[in-house]
Amino acid sequence: MSGKAAERMHISLASPFILKMWIIIFLVEFVKGSLLVALLPVYMENILGLSVTVVGFAFALQYLGDNLFRSPFGWVMERIGYRWTMTGALLLLLVAVGLIIYAKDAVSLSLACLILGIGTSPLWPCTMTGITELAGSTRSGSSGAAMGAVEMASLAGTGVGPIIVNFMMDHGGQGYRTVFLVLMGFAAAVVAVALFLPSKIGGHAPRVVREISAEGPPVTRKPVRPLESLKRTWQQVTSSLKVSRLLFPALFLQAFAIGLMTPVVTLFARSELHVTPNQFSLLLIAGGGITVLTLIPAGKLVDKVGTSIFLNIGFLLAACSMAFFSQVRWLPLAFVAVALVGISYALILPAWNAFLAKQVPEGERGTVWGLFLTLQGSGMVAGPVVSGKLWDTVSHGAPFLASAGVMVVLFGLHLLIVHRTKLKHGRAH
């Protein structure tokens, strides 16, 4: 097989689109990870004197903004292209960080979190649509390795951000205001990178681009009415989307499990494990570092052997390791627990995204990915609210035990989805 033929078999990870999205995802998650993992939980509780329930509510608003606008931005991206959709939205990231600097109460911080979510909402619909388009241009149609690469960028940013912020606060003697200004610089950088994104990928062009570049004499068109366009889009999506109904609760629960942990993991490490900021950074490296290093190899194996075995093992391993972490009070065992959680997510993430990619029909890919990611992300809206309540009213380990239980339910749902899909294909043949 020639080099060119081999390249057509799989998506090139050196594709200009993937490289630019890799940088954008890393920078966005660097800013969000620094804020949501390292800064805001401690800042809101210790500096502003807010309860963990309020912290969870503010985080939920961030995820709400992110998810409510994913599907609309997917629809917009189909019409105006990747570059302007991402650039326009990411400008809100700058606005959000600026608001956080001057926020002094729960209302203004919650508003900043909401704007932060809206500004980053087109990130994953654009990424997933682009990778699906690139996969469609290869003979194998495999996307596991590319999904692993972008998840690696996401986790690297989420992990590196808090580590650098903790270092600045611990050793650099920097105050919150200085750190927030540094994050504004990163937010400005991500807007600049978005300006270099293409409007289209290969033969796939947004509708506006297709109409402008169409060959032949100009055709007089009736003005497009937004409501009619949305209605046609929805009819096309519902007619082409043939998936198991069980996929929809699974989408919710997959992110709900993560949302249960997000607002309390830093507080748990400090209150129950009594770690210093540097020790917490080492915990992040132990969990996130293993995940990042394993994602691309796992993605390539997903392309070769399929998604089922990775998802089954990953869900069960995640359930066991999170239940274990909730009971740990000795730091060495905590490192073992977070390493196991990291391995489980390295198995789950590329396999889950490749599994979803196979469910996306060719028509209105941006809108369908937006719909999937909105349903999935709604779990990230509910998770922090439930987590804060469990922390305040049940126990500090309760959010992690709840997350472990959700993973067991996901394992069962995935088995049922695969079984029903096989039965359906068997009848079709």
Side-chain angles (χ1 to χ4, degrees):
M1 183 183 291
S2 70
K4 288 184 179 179
E7 190 175 321
R8 287 195 301 269
M9 285 294 291
H10 298 285
I11 302 172
S12 171
L13 298 184
S15 156
F17 177 81
I18 290 181
L19 288 175
K20 288 165 189 169
M21 289 308 302
W22 202 99
I23 295 169
I24 290 171
I25 289 169
F26 175 82
L27 291 174
V28 167
E29 297 300 341
F30 182 99
V31 174
K32 285 180 68 173
S34 299
L35 291 171
L36 300 180
V37 177
L39 289 172
L40 289 183
V42 180
Y43 180 71
M44 293 174 76
E45 187 182 30
N46 295 346
I47 306 300
L48 300 181
L50 303 174
S51 70
V52 178
T53 300
V54 173
V55 175
F57 180 76
F59 278 33
L61 282 178
Q62 190 275 141
Y63 296 121
L64 180 68
D66 192 339
N67 289 287
L68 278 180
F69 287 85
R70 282 184 176 185
S71 200
F73 270 124
W75 183 82
V76 169
M77 184 272 296
E78 286 278 353
R79 284 146 183 85
I80 68 171
Y82 297 95
R83 181 188 304 132
W84 299 116
T85 302
M86 288 297 300
T87 303
L90 288 173
L91 284 170
L92 293 176
L93 186 62
L94 271 171
V95 174
V97 180
L99 280 175
I100 288 170
I101 293 174
Y102 297 102
K104 300 299 178 188
D105 53 48
V107 174
S108 52
L109 263 171
S110 297
L111 176 63
C113 286
L114 177 64
I115 294 171
L116 176 69
I118 295 171
T120 58
S121 59
L123 182 65
W124 288 105
C126 286
T127 302
M128 296 306 191
T129 303
I131 290 175
T132 308
E133 290 294 338
L134 289 170
S137 65
T138 65
R139 265 187 281 169
S140 67
S142 298
S143 59
M147 296 294 186
V150 296
E151 289 288 359
M152 184 178 78
S154 174
L155 288 169
T158 304
V160 171
I163 290 169
I164 291 179
V165 163
N166 281 332
F167 183 83
M168 289 176 67
M169 300 286 286
D170 220 26
H171 294 282
Q174 305 297 330
Y176 283 101
R177 187 182 181 86
T178 302
V179 175
F180 288 141
L181 288 172
V182 170
L183 294 180
M184 279 198 78
F186 280 100
V190 79
V191 173
V193 177
L195 286 168
F196 291 93
L197 284 173
S199 286
K200 63 176 183 175
I201 294 178
H204 171 75
R207 292 188 178 183
V208 170
V209 175
R210 285 202 298 266
E211 289 178 4
I212 291 172
S213 60
E215 294 182 3
V219 178
T220 304
R221 294 180 176 87
K222 295 180 181 178
V224 178
R225 295 177 182 175
L227 287 177
E228 289 182 5
S229 180
L230 283 170
K231 186 178 179 181
R232 285 199 304 271
T233 300
W234 180 248
Q235 288 172 344
Q236 185 176 350
V237 167
T238 52
S239 63
S240 60
L241 188 58
K242 308 294 182 185
V243 297
S244 169
R245 291 180 181 178
L246 294 175
L247 181 65
F248 301 120
L251 283 163
F252 173 86
L253 291 173
Q254 198 272 339
F256 183 68
I258 301 172
L260 283 167
M261 297 186 293
T262 305
V264 297
V265 65
T266 305
L267 300 173
F268 184 86
R270 293 199 174 188
S271 63
E272 299 297 323
L273 301 175
H274 308 291
V275 300
T276 65
N278 281 341
Q279 288 173 328
F280 182 65
S281 294
L282 290 174
L283 277 172
L284 288 175
I285 292 169
I290 287 175
T291 308
V292 167
L293 291 174
T294 315
L295 273 171
I296 290 183
K300 289 182 177 179
L301 284 172
V302 166
D303 288 341
K304 288 182 180 179
V305 303
T307 60
S308 291
I309 188 169
F310 285 89
L311 290 175
N312 290 334
I313 295 172
F315 288 142
L316 289 178
L317 180 60
C320 294
S321 55
M322 283 188 285
F324 177 44
F325 181 74
S326 72
Q327 305 304 310
V328 163
R329 296 298 181 273
W330 186 43
L331 192 57
L333 284 180
F335 277 99
V336 174
V338 297
L340 290 173
V341 172
I343 292 169
S344 69
Y345 270 90
L347 297 176
I348 292 170
L349 291 174
W352 180 254
N353 288 330
F355 174 70
L356 291 183
K358 292 177 183 176
Q359 318 296 319
V360 177
E362 289 187 12
E364 294 291 347
R365 279 174 170 155
T367 307
V368 173
W369 265 118
L371 174 64
F372 278 5
L373 293 169
T374 296
L375 289 170
Q376 183 167 288
S378 61
M380 291 295 282
V381 178
V385 175
V386 175
S387 178
K389 280 290 183 185
L390 289 173
W391 177 279
D392 284 338
T393 60
V394 182
S395 73
H396 291 178
F400 303 97
L401 287 172
S403 184
V406 170
M407 283 295 177
V408 174
V409 175
L410 269 171
F411 171 76
L413 282 174
H414 175 252
L415 287 180
L416 285 172
I417 291 169
V418 171
H419 178 67
R420 289 187 178 185
T421 303
K422 286 180 179 177
L423 285 177
K424 188 176 178 181
H425 283 282
R427 292 193 195 103
H429 289 87

